[in-house]
Amino acid sequence: MSRDTGNQTEARRTDGIASRQIISVQQRRRLERRSVLESITSNGTISACVMIAAAVAAVICANTDAYAAVHDWFMRPVSIAIGGWEFSLTFELFVNDFLMAIFFLLVGIELKYEMTVGELRRPRQAALPMLAAVGGVVVPATIYAVINRGGAVYGWAIPMATDIAFALGVLSLLGSRVPPAIKVFFSTLAIADDLLAIAAIALFYGHAPQLGWLAAAAVVTALLVFLNVRRHFRLAPYLALGLVLWFCLFQSGVHATLAGVIMAFTIPARSDINAGSLVEWLGSKLPELDDRFDDEAHILGQHDFTHAVRGVERVVHRVTPPLQRLEHYIATPVNFFILPLFAFVNAQVRLVGVDLGALVVDPVALGTYLGMLLGKPLGIFGMTFLVVRSGLAELPTGVHWKHILGIGILGGIGFTMSILIAGLAFTEIPAELLAAKTAILAGSVSAALIGLGYMHVVCREQE
């Protein structure tokens, strides 16, 4: 970490004095409280804990007398009616298909960010974790398929997904003991894993496609691309077309959450302002603002001054790329509302009256659990070993083979995506869905605890 020079310290002191002069004490305290709130809501560990708490609450609720009332609530319709036209879906579908599309929008934004300015923009550096992600997908799916051959093989994709928010939240519990290179490697691997899970959902877990609605979705996508090409930087048209795209995909039979990913990749990642000239332009506006301001007049009567300030506000607001603005708007609702709500709705694992012995040896439960707990580390470590030994890539500086194994274990945390895929695979088979969800919860908890303990030991040895 770099140290502040004397000039930097003086600049910070001057900025502090200026901020105290420009805003009131009450407003400054409000901004400080907002800063604390933002630091909490941007903490991956806290958001992961909230999601875990929601899942635990769901399991408890499912095994009490409240289950029937809660399940009845989930089955209630959410409707939109305009004149004689009405669109309706159950609350559970509203969460899984609509709200999760917003989650996929955030995933798509993170993917585009990494492909634009992150690790995925450098193919040579990204190649190793991306190939490791392929191994972490193929081996768990293979283990599941072998165990369920001749049976419920359709759930092969359930153990292949890594929950990026949950897994990185667990890793962050180790704090600064985890070398930055490991976090970058794991983040890139998890993002590539998300891409593969999204592709699996799109290709294998939709219904029979309705070509008319698919054509309509293609037209809407083309309009989104057109807006991007024409350098339209307001978010409202993208959001409106995104809703239409979601509806078209929902009606087409393709899983509607993909609308979020498509929308993310069409939203501009560039600024509408020439940032290199911004400081010079702001400097040229300062004399104008100074001339128009009257110390003795009330601010409501200073129309020339407020008009000039509004012009500066418009320009400064457009410096932030639309993609980044949208991420800022939705990140907190996704992490602290949508994902916990999804966890509560979908982790309703009712074990009352269930033969636990039969559940444990159910091929779906075994395939899912072993795929997550054994398949992930075997696939990630094995593929990384093959790529490095073949000379195609090298381990990043500061990353050792023990770390790769730990990353593989943590990769078995597949909560969100795995539950989503299980719901798609076994919509009409409650017994298999129960087995899959039970194994997902058990596998995610096991991977989190084992991975956290293992990485704690390994990182302490490296200190």
Side-chain angles (χ1 to χ4, degrees):
M1 183 179 294
S2 60
R3 297 180 180 178
D4 290 332
T5 62
N7 291 335
Q8 289 173 323
T9 303
E10 179 63 24
R12 289 185 177 182
R13 188 183 68 82
T14 304
D15 288 343
I17 294 173
S19 67
R20 287 194 292 272
Q21 293 174 344
I22 202 170
I23 62 176
S24 66
V25 174
Q26 182 180 8
Q27 181 67 13
R28 188 170 69 251
R29 288 174 179 171
R30 186 178 299 138
L31 291 175
E32 289 172 352
R33 288 194 297 269
R34 182 181 299 176
S35 177
V36 172
L37 180 62
E38 288 178 350
S39 67
I40 293 173
T41 55
S42 62
N43 189 302
T45 303
I46 295 176
S47 61
C49 289
V50 172
M51 185 166 61
I52 293 170
V56 172
V59 174
I60 294 173
C61 176
N63 291 278
T64 65
D65 294 337
Y67 174 75
V70 171
H71 182 72
D72 178 66
W73 174 264
F74 292 162
M75 294 300 106
R76 290 187 178 184
V78 177
S79 302
I80 299 175
I82 302 176
W85 177 84
E86 182 178 1
F87 175 70
S88 179
L89 68 168
T90 65
F91 180 76
E92 184 176 22
L93 275 178
F94 173 74
V95 172
N96 291 346
D97 283 43
F98 182 76
L99 293 185
M100 285 302 286
I102 303 175
F103 164 71
F104 272 73
L105 173 60
L106 183 61
V107 171
I109 290 173
E110 293 172 349
L111 288 172
K112 187 169 182 178
Y113 177 88
E114 291 297 327
M115 294 173 70
T116 304
V117 296
E119 291 301 314
L120 297 183
R121 84 183 191 279
R122 295 189 289 268
R124 185 173 179 81
Q125 284 185 273
L128 183 59
M130 291 181 73
L131 289 172
V134 173
V137 164
V138 172
V139 176
T142 301
I143 289 176
Y144 179 95
V146 169
I147 293 176
N148 286 273
R149 62 188 183 280
V153 72
Y154 192 53
W156 59 268
I158 295 172
M160 68 180 245
T162 295
D163 189 308
I164 183 170
F166 194 174
L168 291 176
V170 171
L171 186 63
S172 68
L173 292 174
L174 295 171
S176 59
R177 284 173 292 182
V178 180
I182 296 175
K183 295 179 180 179
V184 171
F185 186 95
F186 192 29
S187 298
T188 307
L189 183 149
I191 289 169
D193 189 286
D194 271 350
L195 271 175
L196 295 170
I198 291 168
I201 291 172
L203 295 174
F204 303 104
Y205 288 97
H207 301 292
Q210 301 292 322
L211 296 182
W213 285 109
L214 278 180
V219 171
V220 177
T221 302
L223 290 174
L224 286 166
V225 174
F226 175 77
L227 286 177
N228 186 299
V229 172
R230 296 292 296 174
R231 298 178 66 83
H232 192 94
F233 289 91
R234 290 184 64 242
L235 279 172
Y238 292 97
L239 297 177
L241 286 173
L243 284 173
V244 177
L245 177 62
W246 178 88
F247 182 76
C248 292
L249 288 178
F250 182 84
Q251 297 290 354
S252 74
V254 175
H255 202 260
T257 53
L258 298 177
V261 179
I262 296 171
M263 181 180 165
F265 276 85
T266 61
I267 295 175
R270 295 181 177 275
S271 176
D272 194 17
I273 300 298
N274 182 357
S277 304
L278 179 64
V279 174
E280 181 180 352
W281 181 83
L282 288 173
S284 70
K285 300 297 291 185
L286 292 178
E288 178 186 352
L289 295 176
D290 188 52
D291 291 340
R292 295 187 179 188
F293 182 71
D294 185 355
D295 287 326
E296 299 179 358
H298 193 282
I299 190 67
L300 289 178
Q302 301 196 51
H303 302 295
D304 290 342
F305 175 73
T306 55
H307 178 75
V309 170
R310 193 159 56 248
V312 174
E313 287 177 346
R314 290 196 191 100
V315 172
V316 173
H317 173 74
R318 296 171 72 141
V319 172
T320 306
L323 190 78
Q324 193 172 2
R325 291 206 306 271
L326 184 58
E327 180 185 25
H328 178 74
Y329 294 150
I330 69 173
T332 297
V334 166
N335 291 329
F336 287 87
F337 175 70
I338 291 177
L339 287 181
L341 181 59
F342 173 84
F344 184 78
V345 170
N346 290 276
Q348 297 284 327
V349 178
R350 185 168 176 83
L351 300 176
V352 176
V354 174
D355 185 344
L356 296 180
L359 183 64
V360 169
V361 297
D362 186 293
V364 170
L366 284 175
T368 300
Y369 185 80
L370 294 179
M372 295 171 68
L373 201 60
L374 295 181
K376 273 293 184 178
L378 286 175
I380 291 172
F381 186 90
M383 180 62 78
T384 305
F385 183 84
L386 289 175
V387 172
V388 171
R389 290 305 182 194
S390 65
L392 296 176
E394 296 180 353
L395 287 180
T397 303
V399 177
H400 305 288
W401 288 111
K402 291 181 179 180
H403 297 141
I404 299 297
L405 180 58
I407 287 172
I409 297 171
L410 290 174
I413 303 173
F415 185 76
T416 306
M417 283 289 197
S418 295
I419 286 181
L420 182 62
I421 295 173
L424 297 174
F426 301 125
T427 304
E428 305 296 333
I429 315 175
E432 304 294 22
L433 182 58
L434 175 64
K437 286 185 176 182
T438 304
I440 290 167
L441 293 176
S444 296
V445 171
S446 298
L449 294 177
I450 296 172
L452 185 63
Y454 176 84
M455 289 296 287
H456 173 75
V457 173
V458 169
C459 291
R460 187 172 59 183
E461 289 177 353
Q462 299 297 324
E463 291 178 346

